[in-house]
Amino acid sequence: MPAALYVLLGAGLTIGAILGCGSLLLSALRIRLAPEERLPLGFLCGAPVLSGIVFALAAGRLVHKGVVVALALVLIAAAWRLRPRVAGDALPPLPRGARWTFVFLFAPFLFLYVANAMAPEWSPDSYHLGLVSRYYRAHGLVPVTTNMYGSLSQGVELLFLFNWPFGKHSGAALVHLAFLVALAFAMVRYGQRTGHAWPGVAAAIFVFASPVAGADGAAAYNDVALAATLFALFSLLERWRAAPQSGLLIPVGLLAGFGYAIKYTAFLAVPYALAVVLWKARKLKPAILVAACAAVMIAPWMIKNWATLGNPVSPFLNAVFPNPFVHVSFEREWSTFLRSYGVEDRRQIPLEATVRGQKLGGLVGPLFLLAPLALLAVRSAPGRRVLAAALLFTLPYAGNIGTRFLLPSLPFWSLALALALAWRPLLAALAAAHAVLSWPHVLNRYCDPYAWRLAEVPWKAALRLTPEDRWLREKSQGYSIARMIEAHTPADARIFSFSPLMEAYSTRDIIAGYQGAENQVLRDILLTPLIDGFWPKRRYTFAFPAVSVRRIEVVQTERADPDFWNVTELRVYSGGQELERRAEWRLRATPNPFEVQMAFDNSPVTRWRSWQTIEPGMRVEVDFGRDETIDAVSLEMSDDQHKVRMRLNGHTSDGRTLSLAGKPREESNPLPYRLRRAAVEELKLRGIGYILVDDADHGAADFREKPAAWGITEVASTYTGRLYKLD
Amino acid sequence: MSSRRLLPCYVLFLLAFTGCVSIPDTYAPPMQRKPVTGPEPSSLREFVRVDEPGAEVHFLRDVSQHVEAGRFRWTQQKPTFQFQLKDRLHRKLRLEFHLHSDVLKATGPLSIKYLVNGRPLESVAYNKDGAHVYEKAVPLNWITTDSPTIVTAELSGTLKTPDGNSLGLILTAAGFVE
């Protein structure tokens, strides 16, 4: 069968199964939707249900092609057989002008988006499908400890997993696009239902034609799905406010919880839904029902993370839930970056997010420079409710100022703007102007050349008239590098890379430099030979009269921001001889106890690091398991921690604490080692067989020019990436 | 409510299929590493083909970073190389290259002066395009084995391209052979 048909089959089965779930849910709860609402709202209500089912299948490693086909067919057939015989009342018809405005502006963008979604997928954030591909190879969820993206909730990615047996990458993008289409229609229907047909149509076009919505919706991302889910939640809550029926509260709860299951940043959907229900019902019971349904969607993700990573909200709150998989410092640095994206002057954000689109990864379109006018919607009660949702779902944007993080609130800002400017000719003109300005050929004339956007209509690639491999090699160096890795490494290879790779097109275990604690340790080891400041050039020795102790601890006494505390080796002496590190010793460190062994492994390229700025009370401890007579303790450390201040305590078997020494003697530590080779040997011990070095990576020239010193052999290269095998 | 009844099932189901992670907070000493000591081996070879992995390390100046057509590199006017020789006896300098007709048109007969560690070995004039191999024995006291041996080929001229580059030899291999 032609490849394009497989794509359509995978996406079709998934979309059909979602619609089936939605139809069954709404039928079971006797929720009567207007015929015009059945498809968009049925789809959006069905998504959490299918996602939950796939989670259960994936937890049981039951995601096989046959299971997917059978389940999809059963869901579609059941939904058809049990479809409601009596529809709800039809909505007021769309005014003729509004209908044709919508059709004329919607259709070309739909064509543009379908062509791009069906074309081979090469979106920058390849981890979404990298994880999906990994799950499918394992037929279900597997613990992912070296990619913190794998611990984010993945409600939509599970829908991509359902599509994967047939539709693979492009099928996933089409499934995501279905959310954008459903969102546009849900907005139109909301307008019809509430007597604001023209604002509904205009707002739908504002969102649908927005460049970032198109780029995101036509890729295997999840932001548009989140936007659609939140709008469906709003829409059902509005409907429940108008005509309370308890059945509606179940999809309300599921959608609120599904927001979290798609992206942590949508956690506000739950308090939002609870607040609306409590405010309107003035009773606890309906709110409990909503909370319980939301919990059904949220709990699996929290339990999964708790069970596999020791942190229910990994990769966040690592200081509260210490774990060996994500360093506290990484979380802080990452969060800091997401709050700035390197934009030094926050006054640049409006223009970057609406017109330029490079620094923040996309643009919503110049129309949204008018967003402040949306505040005029406060004049009406529906406008106030839309504005409240817009403001609420904009709040998480402060934590990540990427343009696509505006998408969850974009439907509400669009609707508020359209309600505020309710004059029909103006709305039609704005919708048309927005569409023209968002069309690729026009967009290319004014946005930044490097703005993330859809720049063409790749229909030949979509139909696979241009071979997939050729198209991807032309579009993405990352794809070529991923395929190079596939061609030159065995199936079970673990590959370290300083930078993330296009893992969606690789089946290898790729450890990208910053994506987890283990990754950062490997990076640290590889960089030690290259960075003078990482070498253990200083030796700090505590010398004291011989004493018998059971346990010792080296304690930090002062704050030393921004340095980390790094100990390459801690050695204990008696009579000038180093004590053997017996198996009975017990080592402990605070913080980051998980890597304390690296200060006791006799390697000059590994070091225990606090991975937090130095604070008083940080300590490294050794329990000898019996009394030992000692007279000196030395620490071999790098000199990238200028303000380190330490003292040494001892603890006797009878519970006494002895202050053994205050300020240590500081001297230089000779380095007769071949650090490069030692680093490679350490990586091999940790299961790494290959390293991928980009020409732009720190030390790339050193790897290229001194392979014998490292003990590596270049096995392949393409573009700027070189693959080395560890000898 | 059905969703409430489902919740414990979910929890049990998940716990059944996901092993809880065990994270200790004290550790025994790990396997002791034996640090690697001694001088670092050189990555330089005696002879290198320009399309081989790691070939760049031999090029000190005026050799393109890019392999063309998967097998050659352009040089500019004064390509300079370094090689690590294991022995000084019976070593011959060898360069394999092509001369492009357009280069010869621009330069006229092309003279190349070969130098080893700064000492002129020979000057050769070329007036035909196509493949050439230069090979000549090198006095053993010109060669160093405790440090890289530096080889330079000085061209009398190059072809200047409109984008400001200069093109000299189409180099395929260089180094020392026995």
Side-chain angles (χ1 to χ4, degrees):
Chain A
M1 190 160 64
L5 290 183
Y6 273 110
V7 170
L8 292 173
L9 176 63
L13 280 177
T14 308
I15 293 167
I18 293 173
L19 284 168
C21 287
S23 180
L24 289 171
L25 177 74
L26 297 174
S27 297
L29 297 173
R30 300 178 189 284
I31 296 170
R32 290 172 63 180
L33 295 176
E36 301 92 334
E37 292 173 316
R38 267 196 210 148
L39 274 178
L41 288 180
F43 178 85
L44 294 172
C45 290
V49 178
L50 184 65
S51 180
I53 292 171
V54 179
F55 187 100
L57 288 176
R61 304 274 180 94
L62 296 171
V63 184
H64 294 264
K65 188 182 281 188
V67 174
V68 165
V69 173
L71 181 60
L73 294 178
V74 165
L75 286 169
I76 294 167
W80 179 258
R81 190 171 173 79
L82 302 175
R83 69 189 185 279
R85 304 294 177 199
V86 182
D89 296 336
L91 298 176
L94 270 180
R96 188 185 174 86
R99 187 188 323 142
W100 286 111
T101 299
F102 182 74
V103 169
F104 276 125
L105 299 180
F106 177 85
F109 280 91
L110 181 63
F111 175 67
L112 169 71
Y113 296 163
V114 169
N116 275 279
M118 271 194 73
E121 224 273 351
W122 60 288
S123 52
D125 281 358
S126 179
Y127 68 85
H128 295 283
L129 293 184
L131 290 166
V132 170
S133 167
R134 193 165 176 172
Y135 295 155
Y136 188 66
R137 291 197 299 276
H139 301 296
L141 297 173
V142 286
V144 178
T145 58
T146 54
N147 185 345
M148 51 90 185
Y149 293 116
S151 47
L152 296 171
S153 53
Q154 296 160 61
V156 167
E157 284 79 354
L158 290 186
L159 302 176
F160 299 161
L161 177 61
F162 195 82
N163 141 89
W164 199 255
F166 298 101
K168 296 273 188 313
H169 308 72
S170 300
L174 278 175
V175 170
H176 193 216
L177 179 58
F179 280 90
L180 183 57
V181 174
L183 170 62
F185 278 93
M187 294 180 75
V188 171
R189 301 312 178 207
Y190 172 82
Q192 281 177 268
R193 176 171 286 282
T194 56
H196 299 97
W198 267 100
V201 164
I205 294 299
F206 292 170
V207 175
F208 192 73
S210 170
V212 75
D216 192 286
Y221 280 29
N222 54 26
D223 310 275
V224 161
L226 176 58
T229 297
L230 294 180
F231 190 81
L233 169 67
F234 168 82
S235 188
L236 290 188
L237 275 171
E238 285 294 291
R239 184 148 180 198
W240 178 81
R241 286 172 58 94
Q245 47 178 308
S246 61
L248 270 174
L249 295 179
I250 289 177
V252 160
L254 292 176
L255 286 166
F258 191 49
Y260 177 95
I262 295 172
K263 229 178 181 67
Y264 285 174
T265 48
F267 69 96
L268 287 172
V270 178
Y272 166 70
L274 292 175
V276 171
V277 170
L278 280 170
W279 180 265
K280 175 71 180 171
R282 309 279 174 180
K283 290 181 196 164
L284 210 51
K285 198 174 170 184
I288 290 172
L289 177 60
V290 170
C293 292
V296 168
M297 299 308 305
I298 293 170
W301 296 103
M302 286 193 160
I303 294 168
K304 176 182 90 71
N305 280 350
W306 187 287
T308 58
L309 303 173
N311 177 359
V313 287
S314 181
F316 300 103
L317 299 186
N318 296 291
V320 180
F321 302 102
N323 64 84
F325 307 109
V326 182
H327 290 135
V328 172
S329 60
F330 165 75
E331 179 192 338
R332 289 180 181 156
E333 288 163 11
W334 190 45
S335 301
T336 301
F337 170 76
L338 294 178
R339 286 196 294 271
S340 75
Y341 275 62
V343 175
E344 290 168 5
D345 185 351
R346 297 181 84 80
R347 287 173 299 184
Q348 294 178 349
I349 292 175
L351 267 185
E352 279 294 333
T354 55
V355 180
R356 295 181 187 139
Q358 188 261 325
K359 289 182 181 170
L360 301 179
L363 62 159
V364 289
L367 169 83
F368 288 95
L369 287 170
L370 301 176
L373 295 178
L375 296 174
L376 295 174
V378 77
R379 293 171 299 181
S380 70
R384 285 193 288 276
R385 292 198 293 274
V386 172
L387 265 181
L391 290 168
L392 182 74
F393 294 126
T394 305
L395 290 179
Y397 182 71
N400 187 332
I401 62 167
T403 306
R404 62 195 173 87
F405 283 76
L406 285 170
L407 281 168
S409 62
L410 203 65
F412 303 106
W413 286 114
S414 299
L415 198 51
L417 182 62
L419 287 169
L421 310 172
W423 189 41
R424 292 176 189 183
L426 179 60
L427 289 176
L430 283 176
H434 176 59
V436 169
L437 287 171
S438 300
W439 190 253
H441 298 94
V442 182
L443 188 62
N444 292 343
R445 288 173 179 270
Y446 68 86
C447 74
D448 188 284
Y450 297 104
W452 182 49
R453 66 196 190 280
L454 302 179
E456 58 184 326
V457 185
W459 63 271
K460 282 187 178 175
L463 298 174
R464 301 304 189 266
L465 299 176
T466 304
E468 183 166 343
D469 186 70
R470 195 173 93 198
W471 159 266
L472 285 166
R473 284 183 194 278
E474 285 170 3
K475 291 289 174 188
S476 167
Q477 290 188 13
Y479 171 80
S480 295
I481 292 172
R483 300 314 296 172
M484 173 183 76
I485 289 172
E486 289 292 289
H488 291 90
T489 60
D492 60 350
R494 286 188 97 206
I495 296 123
F496 175 83
S497 167
F498 285 101
S499 314
L501 300 177
M502 204 161 182
E503 56 197 285
Y505 288 97
S506 174
T507 59
R508 305 298 188 256
D509 186 6
I510 291 167
I511 320 289
Y514 71 87
Q515 292 180 341
E518 182 186 344
N519 315 35
Q520 287 189 297
V521 166
L522 293 169
R523 181 175 180 276
D524 206 57
I525 291 169
L526 264 183
L527 288 181
T528 294
L530 299 170
I531 299 177
D532 178 88
F534 287 11
W535 299 352
K537 288 186 295 190
R538 309 304 299 167
R539 184 200 300 269
Y540 297 85
T541 304
F542 294 98
F544 44 89
V547 63
S548 177
V549 289
R550 161 91 185 207
R551 182 163 66 88
I552 58 163
E553 59 183 11
V554 182
V555 185
Q556 280 292 334
T557 58
E558 291 183 26
R559 187 182 309 274
D561 194 20
D563 296 342
F564 294 170
W565 187 14
N566 309 311
V567 179
T568 303
E569 287 298 312
L570 189 156
R571 303 182 192 278
V572 185
Y573 296 88
S574 178
Q577 294 292 312
E578 183 182 353
L579 255 58
E580 181 196 353
R581 293 160 170 171
R582 293 181 304 105
E584 291 75 24
W585 284 20
R586 284 295 170 267
L587 317 172
R588 184 197 297 263
T590 307
N592 192 23
F594 321 107
E595 296 168 7
V596 69
Q597 289 176 307
M598 287 197 282
F600 296 86
D601 61 0
N602 207 33
S603 168
V605 293
T606 64
R607 49 185 184 161
W608 169 82
R609 307 192 72 183
S610 59
W611 292 105
Q612 296 180 41
T613 51
I614 295 174
E615 297 278 350
M618 287 183 171
R619 64 194 62 214
V620 179
E621 303 173 41
V622 184
D623 186 332
F624 301 119
R626 67 184 187 196
D627 286 344
E628 291 278 7
T629 300
I630 63 171
D631 56 17
V633 170
S634 77
L635 295 100
E636 294 164 15
M637 295 170 36
S638 50
D639 63 358
D640 54 355
Q641 39 193 340
H642 306 289
K643 295 184 244 173
V644 70
R645 299 287 181 274
M646 302 172 287
R647 65 179 161 79
L648 178 70
N649 293 335
H651 298 271
T652 63
S653 292
D654 58 6
R656 286 181 298 130
T657 299
L658 310 173
S659 180
L660 297 180
K663 191 177 177 187
R665 183 176 74 245
E666 186 180 349
E667 57 202 344
S668 66
N669 185 38
L671 282 176
Y673 308 123
R674 285 176 52 194
L675 295 180
R676 291 181 178 84
R677 183 75 202 191
V680 163
E681 289 301 317
E682 188 63 34
L683 258 67
K684 284 160 65 181
L685 278 175
R686 291 162 185 263
I688 303 295
Y690 295 82
I691 55 174
L692 190 285
V693 183
D694 188 275
D695 285 348
D697 288 332
H698 185 90
D702 201 85
F703 289 104
R704 196 167 58 236
E705 292 167 5
K706 297 177 180 170
W710 286 97
I712 57 178
T713 303
E714 183 181 324
V715 291
S717 66
T718 183
Y719 293 102
T720 56
R722 289 169 195 270
L723 181 67
Y724 297 97
K725 185 176 190 299
L726 310 191
D727 297 335
Chain B
M1 199 60 242
S2 61
S3 58
R4 255 186 258 169
R5 284 202 301 270
L6 272 176
L7 192 57
C9 301
Y10 248 115
V11 175
L12 286 174
F13 190 71
L14 278 160
L15 291 178
F17 285 100
T18 51
C20 283
V21 66
S22 167
I23 304 174
D25 63 351
T26 63
Y27 297 82
M31 181 188 83
Q32 297 299 292
R33 273 64 163 172
K34 290 186 179 138
V36 191
T37 55
E40 294 196 326
S42 171
S43 297
L44 298 175
R45 284 165 260 167
E46 294 205 357
F47 185 83
V48 67
R49 306 208 75 81
V50 299
D51 58 343
E52 288 173 351
E56 292 97 330
V57 67
H58 299 82
F59 310 144
L60 293 178
R61 60 170 288 185
D62 280 5
V63 181
S64 169
Q65 288 287 312
H66 306 289
V67 178
E68 311 281 348
R71 59 196 178 88
F72 69 86
R73 294 174 193 255
W74 280 103
T75 76
Q76 296 177 15
Q77 188 152 13
K78 198 174 176 182
T80 305
F81 313 88
Q82 57 176 343
F83 303 98
Q84 183 65 53
L85 276 72
K86 293 176 187 141
D87 203 330
R88 300 193 295 173
L89 289 174
H90 312 303
R91 290 301 193 267
K92 289 187 267 188
L93 175 63
R94 180 183 173 94
L95 266 78
E96 298 175 16
F97 57 92
H98 286 63
L99 284 176
H100 197 283
S101 55
D102 289 348
V103 173
L104 281 179
K105 271 183 206 163
T107 63
L110 183 71
S111 169
I112 304 179
K113 184 177 176 183
Y114 298 95
L115 299 100
V116 176
N117 277 339
R119 300 184 185 201
L121 182 65
E122 188 177 18
S123 280
V124 181
Y126 299 89
N127 53 19
K128 283 188 181 171
D129 60 0
H132 295 274
V133 174
Y134 174 77
E135 192 170 297
K136 187 174 175 69
V138 180
L140 61 88
N141 60 339
W142 290 19
I143 294 171
T144 50
T145 53
D146 54 350
S147 61
T149 297
I150 310 299
V151 171
T152 306
E154 284 185 14
L155 278 62
S156 58
T158 55
L159 168 65
K160 306 293 181 199
T161 61
D163 56 3
N165 284 330
S166 62
L167 301 177
L169 308 179
I170 297 172
L171 185 70
T172 52
F176 290 85
V177 294
E178 282 192 59

